[in-house]
Amino acid sequence: MPGCATRQRSRTSIIVPLAASNARCSLDDWGLEPLGPEQRYDMLEIVEDRYGRGATLITSQIPVDRWHDLIGEPTLADAILDRIIHNAHRLQLSGDSLRKQKAPKTVAA
């Protein structure tokens, strides 16, 4: 489907410069799926352009020690994680999700 590839390139050409230029960038639920080849390069470009310029907040349900495998290609994974983890402040949360805690209680009939 050529349209999908074109849309992806078009979307990426907007997102990457936008993420690099903002003072803050949030990557929510990062790593739910392994990165593809283009996504690896996009991620490297984002973290490289942002390095030392602004805050990058990454939330993930995946433990940091599995991120290397999610990125996939070892050399790019090293480069990406070096830029992310080098100056990172990590907060590791535990317990039930707030969505689960605030969900309405159902009563069995």
Side-chain angles (χ1 to χ4, degrees), residues 16-91:
V16 171
L18 182 62
S21 65
N22 283 326
R24 289 181 305 264
C25 177
S26 296
L27 302 174
D28 191 29
D29 277 339
W30 187 83
L32 293 179
E33 295 182 6
L35 298 184
E38 286 185 32
Q39 294 167 324
R40 290 180 196 120
Y41 286 103
D42 291 342
M43 185 69 173
L44 178 60
E45 187 175 342
I46 289 169
V47 297
E48 191 169 53
D49 288 349
R50 295 195 55 72
Y51 187 77
R53 294 185 184 181
T56 303
L57 175 67
I58 301 173
T59 64
S60 180
Q61 297 178 36
I62 310 302
V64 174
D65 61 357
R66 291 187 39 216
W67 288 9
H68 200 276
D69 294 332
L70 286 170
I71 295 169
E73 202 282 305
T75 304
L76 287 175
D78 287 344
I80 291 166
L81 293 176
D82 181 56
R83 287 159 178 81
I84 292 173
I85 296 173
H86 179 68
N87 289 321
H89 297 276
R90 286 180 52 191
L91 302 173

Side-chain angles (χ1 to χ4, degrees), residues 2-15 38 42:
C4 290
T6 304
R7 261 195 317 246
Q8 180 62 36
R9 277 193 295 274
S10 173
R11 183 172 176 256
T12 300
S13 66
I14 294 168
I15 290 174
E38 286 185 32
D42 291 342

